C-alpha cells in the first residue's frame, strides 16, 4: 500500500512537471514562502531494503534544492527571521527556511557543509533523550531487526505471527505491518515494551543505535556555535504528544526546552512536533506550544506559508524533501505550491 502511494505521488509530481501546470499555478499557490523539512542528510546507501528511505536525502540533492531556490531569487532565512517576517507582514521577496528533525550526526557532517556553501541558515530540532544517547529510534531499530533476520516471530494481541523476511520485498511488507502496528499502540509505554522485546529477541542494541546516529550534547554545542545554526526542541522522548495527557505533553515540551537551554546556555524559541501529522499534533498541542513560550512550532502537515499563517505560529506547515523523490525536476513543482495545494484540497491554512 505504501509503495502504491509512493508511485501515485511520484506520478502526480511528474504530471505537474511535464504538463507545465505548476508554472500557471505558482502565482496562486506559492504563498510567501516555505519551510523545508529534512531528517538525515548523508550519502546514498546501497542496501536493497531501506524502509526509512523517505527520511534521508543526499548532499547532492540538498545542494540542488539550494541552487534552485537561489536561481528563483528566494531568500533562505532563519526561523527567527521567518517569525519576524510573518509577524510584520513583510513579504517583499519569497523566502524559505530549512529545518532538520531529531538531531542526527549527519546533519553536522553532511548538511552543514552544503548549507555553508550557500550561506543558508538551518534549524535543528533536538529530542533531548537522543542527545543523551538513551533515546528510542524505534523506526530505525525496526529496520535493523528486519534487515538482519529471515523471519520475524511476533505476538500481536492474541495472535502469534511469523513474518517472512527472506527478500527485500518481504522485508518491506514485514516492516510496513509492524511499523503501522507499533505506531497505533495506545501508549508510549506499549511501544517501548514491544520494540524493546523485539530488539532483545533479535540482538539489536537500541541505545547503541541512538549513540551511533545522534548528536551528543557536546556535538550539539559545537553545532550551535555556528552562526547559521538554530537549535530547537523536539520533546524529551520523541513521543506522540496527542496521545499523552495534557500534563505529560506540556512536560515533554517544557523539559526538553529546559535541557537544551541548560546545555547550550541560550534561549530555545522554536519547536517541532514529533511525527507532526494530524494524529500527533492538533489544537491542544498548538496551544501548549504557545503556552510553553515557543515563537514557532512546525508540523509535518504539507503546505506553503501564506500571510494568514501569522495567526497560527505554532501550527506551521512544511514541505518535505523526501528521499523517495530525489529528482531535481520536481523542485519547481514543490516551490510552486501546486503539489501541497492538491494534497490539502486547495486549503491555504490547515491549523485545526
Amino acid at each position: 500500500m505504501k509503495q502504491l502511494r509512493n508511485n501515485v505521488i511520484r506520478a502526480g509530481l511528474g504530471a505537474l512537471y511535464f504538463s507545465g501546470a505548476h508554472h500557471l499555478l505558482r502565482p496562486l499557490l506559492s504563498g510567501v514562502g516555505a519551510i523545508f523539512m529534512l531528517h538525515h542528510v548523508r550519502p546514498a546507501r546501497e542496501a536493497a531494503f531501506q524502509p526509512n528511505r523517505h527520511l534521508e536525502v543526499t548532499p547532492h540533492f540538498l545542494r540542488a534544492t539550494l541552487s534552485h531556490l537561489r536561481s528563483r531569487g528566494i531568500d533562505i532565512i532563519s526561523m527567527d527571521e521567518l517569525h519576524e517576517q510573518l509577524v510584520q507582514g513583510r513579504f517583499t521577496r519569497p523566502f524559505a527556511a530549512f529545518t532538520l528533525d531529531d538531531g542526527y550526526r549527519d546533519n553536522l557532517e553532511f548538511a552543514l557543509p552544503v548549507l555553508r556553501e550557500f550561506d543558508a541558515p538551518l534549524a535543528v530540532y533536538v529530542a533531548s533523550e537522543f542527545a543523551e544517547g538513551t533515546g528510542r529510534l524505534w523506526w530505525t531499530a525496526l529496520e535493523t531487526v528486519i534487515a538482519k533476520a529471515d523471519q520475524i516471530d511476533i505476538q500481536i494481541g492474541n495472535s502469534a505471527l511469523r513474518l517472512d523476511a527472506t527478500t527485500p520485498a518481504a522485508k518491506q511488507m514485514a516492516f510496513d505491518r509492524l511499523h503501522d502496528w507499533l505506531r497505533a499502540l495506545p501508549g508510549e509505554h506499549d511501544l517501548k515494551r514491544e520494540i524493546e522485546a523485539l530488539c532483545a529477541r533479535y540482538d539489536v542494541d537500541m541505545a547503541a543505535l541512538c549513540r551511533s546516529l545522534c548528536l551528543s550534547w557536546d556535538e550539539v554545542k559545537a553545532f550551535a556555535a555556528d552562526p547559521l545554526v538554530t537549535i530547537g526542541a523536539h520533546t524529551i522522548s520523541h513521543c506522540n504528544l496527542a496521545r499523552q495527557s495534557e500534563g505529560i505533553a506540556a512536560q515533554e515540551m517544557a523539559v526538553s526546552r529546559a535541557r537544551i537551554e541548560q546545555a547550550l546556555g541560550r534561549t530555545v524559541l522554536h519547536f517541532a512536533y514529533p511525527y507532526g501529522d494530524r494524529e500527533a499534533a492538533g489544537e491542544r498541542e498548538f496551544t501548549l506550544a504557545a503556552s510553553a513560550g515557543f515563537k514557532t512550532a512546525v508540523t509535518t502537515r504539507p503546505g506553503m506559508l501564506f500571510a494568514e499563517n501569522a495567526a497560527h505560529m505554532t501550527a506551521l506547515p512544511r514541505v518535505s524533501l523526501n528521499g523517495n523523490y530525489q529528482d531535481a525536476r520536481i523542485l519547481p513543482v514543490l516551490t510552486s505550491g501546486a503539489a501541497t495545494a492538491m494534497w490539502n484540497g486547495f486549503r491555504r491554512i490547515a491549523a485545526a
Side-chain angles (χ1 to χ4, degrees):
M1 181 61 71
K2 290 183 180 178
Q3 185 58 49
L4 175 61
R5 184 181 67 178
N6 288 339
N7 290 338
V8 169
I9 293 172
R10 186 175 291 107
L13 291 170
L16 286 169
Y17 173 78
F18 287 112
S19 70
H22 61 289
H23 293 302
L24 299 174
L25 295 171
R26 181 179 294 275
L28 299 173
L29 304 178
S30 62
V32 298
I35 304 171
F36 287 96
M37 174 178 67
L38 305 93
H39 292 77
H40 290 284
V41 178
R42 58 190 181 189
R45 295 183 290 152
E46 298 299 324
F49 172 61
Q50 294 188 50
N52 291 306
R53 188 195 305 268
H54 63 291
L55 297 177
E56 57 187 87
V57 300
T58 66
H60 175 77
F61 186 66
L62 177 57
R63 186 176 289 108
T65 303
L66 290 157
S67 295
H68 168 72
L69 295 174
R70 290 292 194 217
S71 73
R72 295 204 63 86
I74 296 172
D75 291 337
I76 303 172
I77 63 176
S78 69
M79 289 301 293
D80 282 333
E81 291 171 307
L82 181 145
H83 175 267
E84 182 179 329
Q85 291 197 28
L86 281 175
V87 168
Q88 295 180 356
R90 184 158 44 87
F91 309 129
T92 54
R93 287 168 57 89
F95 58 81
F98 280 78
T99 61
L100 298 99
D101 289 8
D102 300 340
Y104 295 111
R105 187 169 291 112
D106 56 57
N107 296 175
L108 174 61
E109 294 175 344
F110 295 107
L112 182 58
V114 175
L115 287 152
R116 277 177 176 159
E117 293 175 23
F118 294 84
D119 194 30
L122 65 154
V124 178
Y125 299 105
V126 174
S128 56
E129 284 187 354
F130 293 177
E132 290 157 12
T134 60
R136 295 187 306 278
L137 299 165
W138 65 265
W139 54 95
T140 304
L142 181 61
E143 176 180 344
T144 305
V145 165
I146 296 173
K148 66 187 296 186
D150 289 330
Q151 65 182 34
I152 305 295
D153 294 305
I154 190 79
Q155 183 84 22
I156 297 181
N158 295 323
S159 302
L161 300 180
R162 175 165 291 175
L163 304 178
D164 178 30
T166 54
T167 67
K171 288 179 185 293
Q172 184 66 57
M173 290 178 65
F175 179 90
D176 290 344
R177 180 162 189 180
L178 295 180
H179 181 280
D180 291 349
W181 167 61
L182 289 166
R183 182 76 201 271
L185 289 171
E188 290 297 313
H189 62 285
D190 300 300
L191 192 158
K192 180 177 183 292
R193 180 189 66 245
E194 297 297 345
I195 193 63
E196 287 182 351
L198 196 60
C199 286
R201 191 175 308 128
Y202 291 94
D203 194 28
V204 170
D205 186 335
M206 196 153 41
L209 195 63
C210 177
R211 291 191 298 271
S212 72
L213 292 174
C214 294
L215 294 159
S216 68
W217 280 127
D218 285 343
E219 290 168 317
V220 173
K221 291 177 191 176
F223 207 177
D226 192 292
L228 290 174
V229 176
T230 297
I231 301 295
H234 200 38
T235 73
I236 304 168
S237 62
H238 199 281
C239 64
N240 183 327
L241 290 169
R243 293 190 175 176
Q244 312 307 310
S245 68
E246 183 169 326
I248 293 297
Q251 182 181 29
E252 283 275 345
M253 293 184 187
V255 173
S256 67
R257 178 184 181 183
R259 288 182 183 176
I260 298 169
E261 289 180 338
Q262 182 178 19
L264 301 183
R266 66 179 67 178
T267 304
V268 173
L269 297 173
H270 305 282
F271 182 78
Y273 303 99
Y275 310 109
D277 56 21
R278 291 179 179 278
E279 296 179 355
E283 288 185 78
R284 187 194 73 168
E285 288 68 47
F286 303 154
T287 300
L288 288 174
S291 298
F294 292 110
K295 290 201 303 187
T296 71
V298 293
T299 69
T300 63
R301 299 184 185 191
M304 307 297 283
L305 295 176
F306 296 89
E308 297 95 317
N309 284 107
H312 307 280
M313 285 294 202
T314 57
L316 297 175
R318 290 189 282 180
V319 176
S320 174
L321 289 184
N322 188 307
N324 288 322
Y325 316 113
Q326 296 186 72
D327 183 343
R329 291 179 302 179
I330 73 166
L331 293 171
V333 176
L334 292 181
T335 58
S336 74
T340 53
M342 292 179 69
W343 183 274
N344 289 324
F346 293 92
R347 290 174 300 169
R348 288 160 67 99
I349 304 295

